[in-house]
């Protein structure tokens, strides 16, 4: 029996991701760009799989949710209406001795245990009362001040700044009217979107957990204002948890954090985050907020357009309220990797195995010829690879001995390996090896498609 050890250190995850082609520091040959990453070949597959799973669960399989895909650059008025230009800030503070910059609320919480988010003066006083910089040990702080998280750019040099979207939600609200006018939607209904968002984070950290360019998967779910929203809210929380579990998170590594009433945005009735227990501690994975009619009302006011809903059965016209389930794709990827990464002691050595759920695994089937210098084995293995890759992401590998190839596939979480040997040429069967049990069985080549179709459904 294999003995399992779960990873506890972020460094193991970061170096594994680089070594095995999941995630690299970006533009590294030029010295990199602070906390920016590229997804490598396996990371890209992983990302696409998680996106597909999310889209399937929340769009494809639901009658009440439709998708859209808005641009990153949008009319600046949209961000004035949403309050992002004036109010999308984080509190920052610098140590004057070592010039290190911190998120003020994070450093105060770390040093005192107290949550002072939003209270700039109180944070300044607390820090300046003698709290020591964790980098240099001195106490010499600037005032705490707000820094905008908006990334600014321009279309041309005369029309003033425009912004990279800080959340995908914006285009959903501004295209609400187009959706209502072009689709036969009935309340309650949702609009889903996946895409990049950009935030000038004061401190990007913890690998891909907090980055400046990231991807969000958001739904704006429109409901009738008088409707009993609490059961719907609970259902969304359960669905978020279900999704986390489907990508490999264990239930005991998930917890809910309800934002205290006093800290809620003025328009929010309730916000609950679902957090995951990362190697650096619990951190927000999903958010769920009741945003009332704030967004549609604001966009209606700023655009001068009616953004309401007419219910033909009750003859009532109203501005819908909104429940917003949201999640960061990069954080889901980090969750899947942390949850899957396992070091196992075997009777004959050790292995790292990524215990990804099959739908998440970047490569579904690896195909090997037993020996790379036997053309007839290679030709048969290539033929099998071609056939299987019509339906599944496959990898062909003839490098090193089969034991080493198994280890390599275990490390990237490939659920099945197929080996073509001399018997295959005689009796038309191959060895199929299972990643988790390491058991092998002989399967007819003609039946591989059906076999994997069932196993990988
Ligand atoms: N439209 C609502 C909204 O944007 P948010 O809580 O600010 O809410 C949604 O962001 C999700 O986006 C978060 O739950 C988190 O998973 C992800 N996210 C936020 N900032 C991020 C960052 N800097 N890096 C990676 N993911 C981030």
């Amino acid at each position: 029996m294999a003995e399992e050890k779960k990873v506890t250190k972020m460094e193991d995850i970061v170096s594994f991701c680089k070594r095995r082609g999941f995630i690299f520091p970006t533009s590294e040959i030029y010295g990199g760009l602070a906390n920016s990453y590229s997804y490598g070949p396996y990371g890209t597959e992983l990302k696409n799989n998680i996106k597909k799973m999310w889209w399937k669960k929340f769009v494809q399989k639901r009658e009440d949710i439709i998708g859209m895909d808005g641009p990153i650059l949008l009319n600046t008025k949209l961000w004035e209406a949403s309050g992002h230009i004036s109010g999308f800030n984080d509190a920052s503070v610098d140590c004057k001795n070592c010039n290190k910059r911190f998120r003020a609320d994070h450093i105060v919480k770390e040093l005192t245990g107290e949550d002072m988010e939003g209270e700039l003066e109180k944070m300044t006083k607390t820090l300046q009362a003698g709290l020591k910089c964790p980098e240099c040990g001195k106490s010499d702080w600037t005032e705490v001040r707000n820094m905008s998280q908006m990334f600014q750019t321009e279309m041309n040099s005369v029309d003033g700044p425009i912004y990279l979207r800080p959340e995908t939600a914006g285009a959903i609200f501004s295209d609400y009217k187009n959706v209502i006018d072009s689709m036969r939607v009935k309340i309650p209904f949702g609009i889903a979107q996946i895409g990049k968002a950009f935030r000038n984070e004061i401190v990007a950290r913890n690998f891909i957990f907090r980055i400046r360019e990231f991807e969000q998967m958001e739904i704006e779910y429109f409901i009738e204002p008088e409707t009993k929203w609490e059961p719907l809210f609970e259902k969304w929380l359960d669905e978020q948890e279900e999704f986390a579990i489907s990508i490999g998170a264990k239930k005991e590594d998930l917890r809910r954090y309800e934002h205290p009433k006093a800290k809620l945005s003025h328009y929010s009735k309730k916000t609950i985050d679902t957090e995951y227990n990362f190697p650096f501690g619990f951190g927000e994975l999903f958010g769920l907020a009741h945003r009332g009619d704030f967004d549609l009302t604001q966009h209606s006011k700023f655009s001068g357009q009616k953004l309401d809903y007419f219910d033909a059965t009750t003859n009532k016209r109203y501005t819908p309220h909104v429940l917003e389930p949201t999640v960061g794709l990069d954080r889901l990827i980090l969750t899947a990797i942390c949850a899957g990464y396992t070091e196992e002691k075997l009777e004959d050595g050790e292995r790292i195995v990524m215990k990804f759920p099959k739908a998440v695994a970047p490569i579904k089937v690896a195909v090997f010829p037993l020996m790379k210098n036997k053309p007839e084995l290679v030709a048969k293995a290539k033929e099998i690879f071609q056939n299987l890759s019509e339906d599944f992401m496959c990898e062909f590998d003839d490098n090193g001995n089969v034991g080493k190839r198994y280890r390599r596939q275990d490390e990237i979480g490939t659920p099945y390996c197929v080996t073509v040997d001399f018997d295959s040429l005689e009796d038309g069967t191959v060895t199929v090896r299972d990643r988790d049990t390491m058991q092998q069985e002989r399967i007819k080549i003609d039946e591989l498609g059906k076999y994997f179709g069932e196993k990988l459904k």
Side-chain angles (χ1 to χ4, degrees):
M1 262 306 274
E3 194 188 312
E4 269 188 24
K5 180 182 144 231
K6 289 306 288 183
V7 70
T8 49
K9 289 202 293 281
M10 212 49 207
E11 299 92 90
D12 293 344
I13 294 289
V14 176
S15 73
F16 167 83
C17 283
K18 183 169 183 211
R19 185 165 48 83
R20 289 314 330 264
F22 280 84
I23 303 165
F24 313 123
T26 202
S27 45
E28 209 179 10
I29 56 166
Y30 295 107
L33 179 69
N35 299 90
S36 299
Y37 298 92
S38 293
Y39 285 92
Y42 297 132
T44 305
E45 292 301 327
L46 183 62
K47 193 178 200 185
N48 289 341
N49 291 342
I50 294 178
K51 272 197 225 184
K52 258 191 269 161
M53 289 168 74
W54 186 86
W55 199 260
K56 185 168 181 185
K57 179 171 173 63
F58 294 112
V59 183
Q60 184 181 326
K61 289 176 80 171
R62 293 186 64 136
E63 284 177 46
D64 58 342
I65 301 186
I66 46 182
M68 66 163 279
D69 186 17
I72 287 165
L73 301 175
L74 292 144
N75 191 307
T76 298
K77 270 201 190 150
L78 190 160
W79 305 119
E80 282 165 16
S82 65
H84 280 88
I85 291 183
S86 58
F88 195 44
N89 303 315
D90 270 339
S92 106
V93 67
D94 295 353
C95 168
K96 288 199 258 180
N97 184 57
C98 68
N99 295 324
K100 180 106 182 147
R101 177 159 294 167
F102 299 92
R103 249 293 285 266
D105 48 325
H106 287 179
I107 189 75
V108 168
K109 181 121 197 247
E110 203 176 302
L111 297 174
T112 66
E114 228 188 298
D115 184 359
M116 297 187 198
E117 198 186 338
E119 302 172 82
L120 301 198
E121 251 178 61
K122 192 171 172 195
M123 287 194 277
T124 301
K125 276 196 188 136
T126 308
L127 285 160
Q128 293 182 345
L131 290 183
K132 293 199 170 72
C133 168
E135 283 295 311
C136 68
K138 293 275 182 307
S139 180
D140 193 2
W141 300 100
T142 61
E143 303 255 301
V144 171
R145 59 216 184 270
N146 270 330
M147 261 179 63
S148 172
Q149 283 191 264
M150 300 291 280
F151 259 103
Q152 200 169 304
T153 182
E154 55 184 12
M155 209 78 129
N156 54 53
S157 55
V158 288
D159 287 340
I162 57 169
Y163 298 90
L164 307 186
R165 65 181 175 196
E167 58 173 17
T168 53
I172 299 183
F173 291 121
S174 63
D175 283 335
Y176 166 84
K177 189 169 158 36
N178 282 330
V179 172
I180 290 271
D181 290 348
S182 60
M183 308 292 291
R184 286 169 295 108
V185 285
K186 274 210 198 104
I187 278 213
F189 74 93
I191 306 177
Q193 187 177 202
I194 301 179
K196 290 259 176 155
F198 300 81
R199 294 184 187 176
N200 217 340
E201 297 281 356
I202 294 165
V203 186
R205 63 173 178 177
N206 286 331
F207 196 31
I208 54 167
F209 178 81
R210 190 177 300 285
I211 40 186
R212 296 189 173 94
E213 174 181 344
F214 56 100
E215 217 157 328
Q216 289 186 318
M217 307 202 285
E218 298 201 287
I219 297 167
E220 305 305 323
Y221 197 73
F222 300 94
I223 56 174
E224 203 265 326
E226 305 300 322
T227 206
K228 267 189 111 16
W229 57 271
E230 290 86 348
L232 277 174
F233 196 94
E234 275 305 310
K235 193 147 188 291
W236 273 114
L237 284 174
D238 291 344
E239 303 235 18
Q240 289 180 318
E241 184 178 289
E242 244 176 50
F243 189 74
I245 290 169
S246 76
I247 61 144
K250 293 217 166 63
K251 198 172 160 66
E252 60 267 28
D253 285 327
L254 295 164
R255 72 175 188 195
R256 289 176 186 174
Y257 167 74
E258 177 158 3
H259 291 221
K261 285 255 172 330
K263 303 241 164 178
L264 285 178
S265 320
H266 58 284
Y267 51 80
S268 175
K269 279 207 173 96
K270 190 174 177 123
T271 300
I272 295 187
D273 296 339
T274 298
E275 301 181 329
Y276 180 73
N277 191 9
F278 294 101
F280 52 82
F282 276 95
E284 176 186 342
L285 185 56
F286 299 88
L288 176 63
H290 186 313
R291 300 178 63 97
D293 62 1
F294 172 79
D295 303 274
L296 290 180
T297 304
Q298 280 295 100
H299 290 300
S300 179
K301 205 159 97 190
F302 276 69
S303 65
Q305 303 273 331
K306 267 207 173 114
L307 299 178
D308 53 13
Y309 175 83
F310 179 69
D311 188 329
T313 44
T314 58
N315 259 341
K316 275 205 255 165
R317 187 173 283 284
Y318 56 82
T319 303
H321 283 197
V322 171
L323 302 182
E324 183 189 61
T326 173
V327 65
L329 176 57
D330 308 85
R331 290 189 186 179
L332 282 171
I333 292 167
L334 187 58
T335 301
I337 292 174
C338 293
Y341 186 98
T342 310
E343 289 172 7
E344 266 184 8
K345 268 205 165 65
L346 308 174
E347 275 156 20
D348 60 344
E350 288 176 1
R351 69 168 182 164
I352 291 175
V353 54
M354 267 291 175
K355 296 208 163 168
F356 288 136
K358 290 171 191 170
V360 170
I363 303 292
K364 311 295 183 204
V365 184
V367 185
F368 317 146
L370 183 66
M371 286 184 240
K372 76 192 245 183
N373 56 0
K374 296 286 171 202
E376 59 280 32
L377 295 185
V378 173
K380 193 56 157 176
K382 289 224 156 149
E383 185 189 315
I384 292 173
F385 170 84
Q386 287 302 337
N387 286 338
L388 290 179
S389 57
E390 285 285 335
D391 297 311
F392 314 105
M393 193 69 201
C394 298
E395 190 167 274
F396 180 88
D397 189 3
D398 60 4
N399 217 328
N401 66 43
V402 170
K404 283 211 175 105
R405 295 181 218 164
Y406 283 155
R407 290 289 174 271
R408 276 206 294 275
Q409 295 300 329
D410 288 345
E411 273 200 324
I412 61 163
T414 306
Y416 299 103
C417 295
V418 168
T419 305
V420 176
D421 55 25
F422 292 104
D423 288 344
S424 310
L425 305 177
E426 299 295 318
D427 64 6
T429 65
V430 285
T431 301
V432 176
R433 184 253 195 192
D434 180 295
R435 174 195 74 193
D436 298 332
T437 62
M438 292 180 282
Q439 298 293 313
Q440 304 183 2
E441 58 179 320
R442 294 296 287 190
I443 303 287
K444 286 206 171 102
I445 294 171
D446 294 347
E447 288 172 9
L448 283 175
K450 186 163 162 268
Y451 177 86
F452 289 125
E454 277 162 19
K455 292 275 187 189
L456 294 164
K457 198 154 63 184

